């Protein structure tokens, strides 16, 4: 196991070189600190109530549904518009113009007039204008093969087969979930101040996805009843739980991770703190060991059940499943007392990074009383202050010690900056171009932080040679183009983890690692890469249902597994 | 056009990114413009001039600092260069209990306000900013305490403006934190906007959004669109299609 950095205020944390390595971050799995888990825990603990207020669909399932979500403090509405979509128009791309369902999560009551306003704006998505009562805007497309099969099975009075559920795992797939002030909606600061129910990162967005899942059940049951009123049945709870919401995520998510380093660093710090607190238990009880074994066994089965098209990821899942099974067998067979650090060391010796990440998730899973409170510290004020009085020599030293990873790249090598990021005229979608080949290089987005730091370092060295050991203020006065970079790196240098350590301009960059890192924090499963640029995945699979939100509801749905023996 | 502060921020950043070869801290400039609008002061309209004048964006920045604490702006905009001016003021206040910077030939003095609000307030205790409002000797005055969120904004009339006040066009005074007395709230000023009034403007901006002149909004969009790259089948592959 990599040596941990001492932390005077708490358990030993792993060094940034390990925790912030992009390839490692890109192989994470969700934990009990993931946002979906945190949200559903709160929903159960506080007995949120979800009631259908309006449900008017036609024979094709098109129409409008409104759900009231009542928390102990407030009530919200999820307003969904289901559309009859020509299958030829169905696309996961952000640049699509039509969807099977469009929806908004909003604050306060929704009467007929408000419904009419939303019916005019929500289906237009990016082209519409909302107001500050709206918290989230989203859309989704049906998984056509799954949706139709489930409706047909229910209409015939049967439950869908486990094989069918396993193959896809959801009825709807979201292709974008917008919040935080976009298209006239409420700003994050407002949500944070006025809606404590949703004052955690992406809580409102996750709630909208949870509600989309709930609607998908009610819609297939409605259509089954319409198709065959005499024979139709409802989805049984186990089948419902095994269905989540699909998601397709592309490059649009990548700039968020680069442009919010303090926030991402805070998430990683909480996850690392959770792991460190667990590793601090030097004499884990048999119960804890049993709990970790249970999660490992389930994770191995989960990975074995994942059915995706990508051969490389399939091979990886198979290998990871085997390695996790092996870790499970080894752990279960140990008769002598064992501390978690030696278990981690064993995993590092015998298993690849993916399996090590599964183990980390399993360890965190076993210690709710040590880690759950960390979920309340996932927000941070993102303020990148310049320290103008810092001497140039101190700034130089700071760069060379904290950003040595960035200085290690040779940006004279052609492949070190082989790609560039740009915004497309199609819905401002971020895209990747090949430098020297694709147009748009002169309008490049500034996401190549490693190169920026290296260039800033070079400018600083030259400046200090001429000007002597002047202040940072004087450097950024003469070189104003580096002021943002300098205040960012000065700020991040004060945090335990700093920046994600990667060169995003490298010809072989894997943006999918960025996407998966963020998606794991969201809590998604079943990563299904469609290329190095976008990934499908599943949200809320195995999560409690809307009608199960009670304090006693088991918060135990990591690595969801479909029980073949109990079904079909 | 009604928009949220976040939408305006994103638009301004794109517009600044589209300026070829600019040397600004675009993030700070965009935030400062948004903050002015949030406070109900004019930010977007004066910022449009930044895009038409290379002096504002490609120049080296304010030529500063003589021993007498004069900053020469050469008709540059403080919307563009407020971050650097505040950096210098904070550096200077590190060495003396009270610092006064006189800023010559500067446009958009209000640009200093949001940067002052966002600056590291552990370094200073109180601040006063003033500039001529008209040819008759009236001066606008801003006074801000480090532990308050928002400033006082008012007007100082002619004769009193002349008496004992700095004569340079824009004057920025900072009192160091933890050293000596705070700058007194300047006497004789007719306060027009109190911190409470600014607070309620902030609140309104968060709830109702910002009202931006349609024409200005269109100009800003056109400027921001210059950063976009035309789409093609090949470029769609760059998004994984």
């Amino acid at each position: 196991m990599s040596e941990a950095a001492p932390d005077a205020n708490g358990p030993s944390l792993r060094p940034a070189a390990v925790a912030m390595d992009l390839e490692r971050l890109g192989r994470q799995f969700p934990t009990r600190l993931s946002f979906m888990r945190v949200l559903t825990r709160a929903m159960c603990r506080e007995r949120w109530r979800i009631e259908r207020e309006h449900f008017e669909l036609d024979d094709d399932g098109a129409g409008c549904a409104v759900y009231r979500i009542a928390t102990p403090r407030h009530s919200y509405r999820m307003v969904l518009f289901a559309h009859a979509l020509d299958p030829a128009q169905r696309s996961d791309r952000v640049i699509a113009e039509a969807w099977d369902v469009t929806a908004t999560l909003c604050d306060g009551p929704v009467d007929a007039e408000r419904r009419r306003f939303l019916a005019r704006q929500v289906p237009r998505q990016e082209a519409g204008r909302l107001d500050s009562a709206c918290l989230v805007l989203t859309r989704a497309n049906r998984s056509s093969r799954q949706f139709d099969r489930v409706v047909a099975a229910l209409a015939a009075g049967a439950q869908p087969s486990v094989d069918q559920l396993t193959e896809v795992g959801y009825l709807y797939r979201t292709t974008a979930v917008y919040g935080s002030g976009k298209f006239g909606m409420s700003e994050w600061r407002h949500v944070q101040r006025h809606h404590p129910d949703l004052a955690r990162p992406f809580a409102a967005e996750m709630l909208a996805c949870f509600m989309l899942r709930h609607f998908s059940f009610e819609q297939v049951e409605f259509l089954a009843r319409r198709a065959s009123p005499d024979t139709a049945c409802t989805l049984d709870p186990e089948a419902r739980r095994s269905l989540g919401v699909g998601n397709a995520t592309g490059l649009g998510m990548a700039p968020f991770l680069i442009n919010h380093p303090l926030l991402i660093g805070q998430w990683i710090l909480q996850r690392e703190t959770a792991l460190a607190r667990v590793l601090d238990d030097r004499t884990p009880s048999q119960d804890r060991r049993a709990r970790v074994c249970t999660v490992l066994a389930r994770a191995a089965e989960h990975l074995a059940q994942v059915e995706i098209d990508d051969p490389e990821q399939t091979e990886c899942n198979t290998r990871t499943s085997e390695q996790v099974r092996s870790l499970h067998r080894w752990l279960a067979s140990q008769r002598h007392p064992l501390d978690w650090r030696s278990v981690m060391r064993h995993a590092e010796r015998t298993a690849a990074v993916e399996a090590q990440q599964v183990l980390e998730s399993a360890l965190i899973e076993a210690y709710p009383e040590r880690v759950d409170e960390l979920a309340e510290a996932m927000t941070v004020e993102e303020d990148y202050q310049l320290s103008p009085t810092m001497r140039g020599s101190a700034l130089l030293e700071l760069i060379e010690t904290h950003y040595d990873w960035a200085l290690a790249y040779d940006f004279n090598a052609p492949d070190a900056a082989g790609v560039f990021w740009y915004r497309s005229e199609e819905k401002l979608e971020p895209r990747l171009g090949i430098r020297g080949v694709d147009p748009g290089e002169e309008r490049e987005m500034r996401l190549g932080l490693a190169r920026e730091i290296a260039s800033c370092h070079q400018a600083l060295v030259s400046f200090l040679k001429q000007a002597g050991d002047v202040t940072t203020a004087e450097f950024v006065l003469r070189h104003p183009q580096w002021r943002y970079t300098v205040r960012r790196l000065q700020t991040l240098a004060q945090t335990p983890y700093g920046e994600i350590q990667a060169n995003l301009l490298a010809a072989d960059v894997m943006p999918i690692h960025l996407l998966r890192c963020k998606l794991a924090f969201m809590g998604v499963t079943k990563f299904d890469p469609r290329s190095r640029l976008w990934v499908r995945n599943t949200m809320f699979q195995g999560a409690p249902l809307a009608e199960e939100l009670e304090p006693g509801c088991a918060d135990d749905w990591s690595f969801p597994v479909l029980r073949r023996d109990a079904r079909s | 056009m009604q928009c949220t502060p976040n939408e305006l921020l994103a638009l301004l950043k794109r517009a600044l990114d589209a300026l070829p070869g600019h040397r600004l801290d675009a993030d700070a400039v965009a935030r400062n413009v948004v903050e002015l609008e949030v406070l109900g002061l004019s930010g977007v309209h004066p910022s449009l001039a930044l895009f038409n004048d290379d002096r504002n964006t490609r120049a080296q920045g304010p030529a500063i600092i003589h021993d007498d604490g004069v900053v020469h702006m050469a008709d540059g905009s403080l919307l563009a260069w407020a971050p650097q001016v505040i950096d210098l003021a904070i550096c200077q206040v590190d060495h003396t209990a009270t610092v006064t910077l006189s800023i010559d030939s500067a446009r958009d003095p209000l640009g200093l306000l949001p940067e002052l609000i966002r600056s590291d307030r552990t370094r200073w205790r109180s601040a006063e900013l003033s500039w001529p409002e008209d040819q008759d000797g009236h001066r606008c005055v801003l006074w801000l305490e480090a532990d308050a969120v928002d400033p006082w904004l008012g007007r100082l009339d002619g004769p009193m403006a002349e008496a004992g006040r700095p004569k340079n066009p824009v004057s920025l005074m900072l009192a160091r934190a933890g050293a000596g007395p705070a700058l007194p709230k300047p006497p004789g000023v007719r306060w027009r906007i109190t911190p409470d009034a600014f607070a309620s403007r902030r609140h309104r901006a968060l709830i109702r959004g910002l009202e931006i002149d349609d024409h200005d909004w269109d100009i800003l969009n056109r400027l921001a669109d210059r950063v976009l790259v035309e789409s093609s089948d090949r470029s769609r592959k760059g998004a994984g299609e």
Side-chain angles (χ1 to χ4, degrees), chain A residues 490-538:
Chain A
Q490 282 179 328
T491 303
L492 270 293
Q494 295 170 47
T495 65
Y497 283 124
E499 301 275 0
I500 291 176
Q501 299 186 2
N503 172 20
L504 296 190
L505 304 181
D508 59 354
V509 64
M510 292 291 284
I512 199 167
H513 289 329
L514 288 172
L515 311 186
R516 177 158 166 180
C517 165
K518 185 175 170 203
L519 289 166
F521 277 106
M522 300 288 150
V524 312
T525 52
K526 289 193 173 175
F527 297 98
D528 180 8
R530 313 302 289 184
S531 73
R532 68 173 175 152
L533 306 177
W534 71 287
V535 59
R536 280 186 179 161
N537 52 81
T538 310

Coordinates of all heavy atoms in Angstrom, one line a residue, chain A residues 490-538:
Chain A
Q490 N -2.1 28.9 -6.2 CA -1.8 29.3 -4.8 C -2.9 28.7 -3.9 O -2.6 28.2 -2.8 CB -1.8 30.8 -4.7 CG -0.5 31.4 -5.2 CD -0.5 32.9 -5.0 OE1 -1.6 33.6 -5.2 NE2 0.7 33.5 -4.8
T491 N -4.2 28.8 -4.4 CA -5.3 28.3 -3.6 C -5.2 26.8 -3.4 O -5.4 26.3 -2.3 CB -6.6 28.7 -4.2 OG1 -6.6 30.2 -4.4 CG2 -7.8 28.3 -3.4
L492 N -5.0 26.1 -4.5 CA -5.1 24.7 -4.5 C -3.9 24.1 -3.7 O -4.0 23.0 -3.1 CB -5.1 24.1 -5.9 CG -6.4 23.8 -6.5 CD1 -7.2 22.7 -5.8 CD2 -7.3 25.1 -6.6
A493 N -2.8 24.9 -3.6 CA -1.6 24.4 -2.9 C -1.9 24.3 -1.4 O -1.2 23.6 -0.6 CB -0.4 25.3 -3.1
Q494 N -2.9 25.0 -1.0 CA -3.3 25.0 0.5 C -4.2 23.9 0.8 O -4.6 23.7 2.0 CB -4.0 26.3 0.9 CG -3.0 27.5 0.7 CD -3.8 28.8 0.9 OE1 -4.6 29.0 1.8 NE2 -3.6 29.7 0.0
T495 N -4.7 23.1 -0.2 CA -5.6 22.0 0.1 C -4.8 20.7 0.1 O -3.7 20.6 -0.5 CB -6.7 21.9 -1.0 OG1 -6.1 21.6 -2.3 CG2 -7.4 23.3 -1.1
P496 N -5.4 19.7 0.7 CA -4.6 18.4 0.8 C -4.4 17.8 -0.5 O -3.4 17.2 -0.7 CB -5.5 17.5 1.7 CG -6.5 18.4 2.4 CD -6.6 19.7 1.5
Y497 N -5.3 17.9 -1.4 CA -5.2 17.2 -2.7 C -5.0 17.9 -3.9 O -4.4 17.4 -4.9 CB -6.4 16.2 -2.8 CG -6.3 15.0 -1.9 CD1 -7.2 14.7 -1.0 CD2 -5.1 14.3 -1.9 CE1 -7.0 13.7 -0.1 CE2 -4.9 13.2 -1.1 CZ -5.9 12.9 -0.2 OH -5.7 11.9 0.7
G498 N -5.3 19.2 -4.0 CA -5.0 20.0 -5.2 C -5.7 19.6 -6.4 O -6.9 19.2 -6.4
E499 N -5.0 19.6 -7.5 CA -5.6 19.3 -8.8 C -5.6 17.9 -9.2 O -4.7 17.1 -8.7 CB -4.7 20.1 -9.9 CG -4.6 21.6 -9.7 CD -5.8 22.3 -10.3 OE1 -6.7 21.7 -10.9 OE2 -5.8 23.6 -10.2
I500 N -6.5 17.5 -10.1 CA -6.4 16.2 -10.7 C -5.1 16.2 -11.6 O -4.8 17.1 -12.3 CB -7.6 16.0 -11.7 CG1 -8.9 15.8 -10.8 CG2 -7.4 14.8 -12.6 CD1 -10.1 15.6 -11.6
Q501 N -4.3 15.2 -11.4 CA -3.0 15.2 -12.0 C -3.0 14.5 -13.3 O -2.9 13.3 -13.4 CB -2.0 14.6 -11.0 CG -1.9 15.3 -9.7 CD -0.8 14.8 -8.8 OE1 -0.1 13.9 -9.1 NE2 -0.8 15.5 -7.6
A502 N -3.2 15.3 -14.4 CA -3.2 14.7 -15.7 C -3.0 15.8 -16.7 O -3.2 17.0 -16.5 CB -4.6 14.1 -16.0
N503 N -2.5 15.4 -17.9 CA -2.4 16.3 -19.0 C -3.5 16.1 -20.0 O -3.5 15.1 -20.7 CB -1.0 16.0 -19.7 CG -0.9 16.8 -21.0 OD1 -1.6 17.8 -21.2 ND2 0.0 16.4 -21.9
L504 N -4.5 17.0 -20.0 CA -5.7 16.8 -20.8 C -5.4 17.1 -22.3 O -6.4 17.1 -23.1 CB -6.8 17.6 -20.3 CG -7.3 17.2 -18.9 CD1 -8.6 17.9 -18.5 CD2 -7.5 15.7 -18.7
L505 N -4.2 17.5 -22.6 CA -3.9 17.8 -24.0 C -3.2 16.6 -24.7 O -2.9 16.7 -25.9 CB -3.1 19.1 -24.1 CG -3.7 20.3 -23.5 CD1 -2.8 21.5 -23.7 CD2 -5.1 20.6 -24.0
A506 N -2.8 15.6 -23.9 CA -2.1 14.5 -24.5 C -2.9 13.8 -25.6 O -4.1 13.7 -25.5 CB -1.7 13.5 -23.4
A507 N -2.1 13.4 -26.6 CA -2.8 12.8 -27.7 C -3.6 11.6 -27.3 O -4.7 11.3 -27.9 CB -1.8 12.4 -28.8
D508 N -3.1 10.9 -26.3 CA -3.8 9.7 -25.8 C -4.7 9.9 -24.6 O -4.9 9.0 -23.8 CB -2.8 8.6 -25.6 CG -1.8 8.9 -24.5 OD1 -1.8 10.1 -24.1 OD2 -1.0 8.1 -24.1
V509 N -5.1 11.2 -24.3 CA -5.9 11.5 -23.1 C -7.2 10.6 -23.1 O -7.7 10.3 -24.2 CB -6.2 13.0 -23.1 CG1 -7.1 13.4 -24.3 CG2 -6.9 13.4 -21.8
M510 N -7.6 10.3 -21.9 CA -8.8 9.4 -21.8 C -9.8 10.3 -21.0 O -10.0 10.1 -19.8 CB -8.4 8.2 -21.0 CG -7.5 7.2 -21.7 SD -8.4 6.5 -23.2 CE -9.4 5.3 -22.3
P511 N -10.6 11.1 -21.7 CA -11.6 11.9 -21.0 C -12.5 11.0 -20.2 O -13.1 11.5 -19.2 CB -12.3 12.6 -22.1 CG -11.3 12.6 -23.3 CD -10.5 11.4 -23.1
I512 N -12.7 9.8 -20.6 CA -13.7 9.0 -20.0 C -13.3 8.7 -18.5 O -14.2 8.5 -17.7 CB -13.8 7.6 -20.7 CG1 -15.1 6.9 -20.3 CG2 -12.6 6.7 -20.5 CD1 -15.5 5.8 -21.2
H513 N -12.0 8.9 -18.2 CA -11.6 8.7 -16.8 C -12.2 9.9 -16.0 O -12.7 9.7 -14.8 CB -10.1 8.8 -16.6 CG -9.4 7.5 -17.1 ND1 -10.0 6.3 -17.1 CD2 -8.2 7.4 -17.6 CE1 -9.2 5.4 -17.6 NE2 -8.1 6.0 -17.9
L514 N -12.2 11.1 -16.5 CA -12.9 12.3 -15.9 C -14.3 12.0 -15.6 O -14.9 12.3 -14.6 CB -12.7 13.5 -16.7 CG -11.3 14.2 -16.8 CD1 -11.4 15.3 -17.8 CD2 -10.9 14.7 -15.4
L515 N -15.0 11.5 -16.7 CA -16.4 11.3 -16.6 C -16.7 10.2 -15.5 O -17.6 10.4 -14.7 CB -17.0 10.8 -18.0 CG -16.6 11.6 -19.2 CD1 -17.4 11.0 -20.4 CD2 -16.9 13.0 -19.0
R516 N -16.0 9.2 -15.5 CA -16.3 8.1 -14.6 C -16.0 8.5 -13.1 O -16.7 8.2 -12.2 CB -15.4 6.8 -14.9 CG -15.7 5.8 -13.9 CD -15.4 4.4 -14.4 NE -15.3 3.5 -13.2 CZ -15.1 2.2 -13.3 NH1 -14.8 1.7 -14.5 NH2 -15.0 1.4 -12.3
C517 N -15.0 9.4 -13.0 CA -14.7 9.9 -11.6 C -15.9 10.6 -11.1 O -16.4 10.4 -10.0 CB -13.5 10.8 -11.7 SG -13.2 11.8 -10.2
K518 N -16.4 11.5 -11.9 CA -17.6 12.3 -11.4 C -18.8 11.4 -11.2 O -19.5 11.5 -10.3 CB -17.9 13.5 -12.3 CG -19.0 14.4 -11.8 CD -19.2 15.6 -12.7 CE -20.4 16.3 -12.2 NZ -21.0 17.2 -13.3
L519 N -19.0 10.5 -12.2 CA -20.2 9.6 -12.1 C -20.1 8.7 -10.9 O -21.2 8.4 -10.3 CB -20.3 8.8 -13.4 CG -20.7 9.6 -14.7 CD1 -20.4 8.8 -15.9 CD2 -22.1 10.1 -14.6
A520 N -18.9 8.3 -10.5 CA -18.8 7.5 -9.3 C -19.3 8.3 -8.1 O -19.9 7.7 -7.2 CB -17.4 6.9 -9.2
F521 N -18.9 9.5 -8.1 CA -19.3 10.4 -6.9 C -20.8 10.5 -7.0 O -21.5 10.7 -5.9 CB -18.6 11.7 -7.0 CG -17.3 11.7 -6.3 CD1 -16.1 11.7 -7.0 CD2 -17.2 11.6 -4.9 CE1 -14.9 11.7 -6.4 CE2 -16.0 11.5 -4.3 CZ -14.8 11.6 -5.0
M522 N -21.4 10.5 -8.2 CA -22.9 10.6 -8.3 C -23.5 9.3 -7.7 O -24.6 9.4 -7.1 CB -23.3 10.8 -9.7 CG -22.8 12.0 -10.4 SD -23.6 13.5 -9.8 CE -22.3 14.7 -10.0
G523 N -22.8 8.2 -8.0 CA -23.3 6.9 -7.5 C -23.8 6.0 -8.6 O -24.5 5.0 -8.3
V524 N -23.4 6.2 -9.8 CA -23.8 5.4 -10.9 C -23.1 4.0 -10.9 O -22.0 3.9 -10.4 CB -23.7 6.0 -12.3 CG1 -24.3 7.4 -12.3 CG2 -22.3 6.0 -12.8
T525 N -23.7 3.1 -11.6 CA -23.1 1.8 -11.8 C -23.1 1.4 -13.3 O -23.7 2.1 -14.1 CB -23.9 0.7 -11.0 OG1 -25.2 0.8 -11.3 CG2 -23.7 0.9 -9.5
K526 N -22.6 0.2 -13.6 CA -22.7 -0.4 -14.9 C -22.1 0.6 -15.9 O -22.8 1.0 -16.9 CB -24.1 -0.7 -15.3 CG -24.6 -1.9 -14.6 CD -25.9 -2.4 -15.2 CE -26.3 -3.7 -14.6 NZ -27.6 -4.2 -15.1
F527 N -20.8 0.9 -15.8 CA -20.2 1.8 -16.7 C -20.0 1.1 -18.1 O -19.5 0.0 -18.1 CB -18.8 2.2 -16.2 CG -18.9 3.0 -14.9 CD1 -18.7 2.4 -13.7 CD2 -19.1 4.4 -15.0 CE1 -18.7 3.1 -12.5 CE2 -19.2 5.1 -13.8 CZ -19.0 4.5 -12.6
D528 N -20.5 1.7 -19.1 CA -20.5 1.1 -20.4 C -19.9 2.1 -21.4 O -20.6 2.9 -22.1 CB -22.0 0.8 -20.8 CG -22.1 0.1 -22.1 OD1 -21.1 -0.2 -22.7 OD2 -23.3 0.0 -22.6
P529 N -18.6 2.1 -21.5 CA -18.0 3.1 -22.4 C -18.4 2.8 -23.9 O -18.3 1.7 -24.3 CB -16.5 2.8 -22.2 CG -16.3 1.9 -21.1 CD -17.6 1.2 -20.9
R530 N -18.8 3.9 -24.5 CA -19.1 3.8 -26.0 C -17.9 4.2 -26.8 O -17.9 4.0 -28.0 CB -20.3 4.6 -26.3 CG -21.5 4.5 -25.3 CD -22.0 3.0 -25.2 NE -22.7 2.6 -26.4 CZ -23.3 1.4 -26.5 NH1 -23.2 0.5 -25.5 NH2 -23.9 1.1 -27.6
S531 N -17.0 4.9 -26.2 CA -15.7 5.3 -26.8 C -14.9 5.9 -25.7 O -15.4 5.9 -24.5 CB -15.9 6.3 -27.9 OG -16.2 7.6 -27.4
R532 N -13.7 6.5 -26.0 CA -13.0 7.1 -24.9 C -13.7 8.5 -24.5 O -13.2 9.2 -23.6 CB -11.5 7.3 -25.2 CG -11.3 8.3 -26.3 CD -9.8 8.6 -26.5 NE -9.6 9.5 -27.6 CZ -8.6 10.3 -27.8 NH1 -7.6 10.4 -26.8 NH2 -8.4 11.0 -28.8
L533 N -14.7 8.8 -25.2 CA -15.3 10.1 -25.1 C -16.7 10.1 -24.4 O -17.2 11.2 -24.0 CB -15.4 10.8 -26.4 CG -14.1 11.0 -27.2 CD1 -14.4 11.6 -28.6 CD2 -13.1 11.8 -26.5
W534 N -17.4 9.0 -24.4 CA -18.7 9.0 -23.7 C -19.0 7.7 -23.1 O -18.5 6.6 -23.6 CB -19.8 9.6 -24.5 CG -20.3 8.8 -25.7 CD1 -19.6 8.6 -26.9 CD2 -21.5 8.1 -25.8 NE1 -20.4 7.9 -27.7 CE2 -21.6 7.6 -27.1 CE3 -22.6 8.0 -25.0 CZ2 -22.7 6.9 -27.6 CZ3 -23.7 7.3 -25.4 CH2 -23.8 6.7 -26.7
V535 N -19.9 7.7 -22.2 CA -20.2 6.4 -21.4 C -21.7 6.4 -21.0 O -22.3 7.4 -20.7 CB -19.3 6.4 -20.1 CG1 -19.5 7.6 -19.2 CG2 -19.5 5.1 -19.4
R536 N -22.2 5.1 -21.2 CA -23.5 4.9 -20.6 C -23.4 4.3 -19.2 O -22.4 3.6 -19.0 CB -24.3 3.9 -21.5 CG -24.9 4.6 -22.8 CD -25.8 3.6 -23.5 NE -26.4 4.3 -24.7 CZ -26.9 3.6 -25.7 NH1 -26.8 2.3 -25.7 NH2 -27.4 4.3 -26.7
N537 N -24.4 4.5 -18.4 CA -24.3 3.9 -17.1 C -25.7 3.9 -16.5 O -26.7 4.3 -17.2 CB -23.4 4.8 -16.2 CG -23.8 6.3 -16.3 OD1 -24.7 6.7 -15.6 ND2 -23.2 7.1 -17.2
T538 N -25.8 3.4 -15.3 CA -27.2 3.2 -14.7 C -27.2 3.9 -13.3 O -26.3 3.7 -12.5 CB -27.5 1.7 -14.6 OG1 -27.3 1.1 -15.8 CG2 -29.0 1.5 -14.2

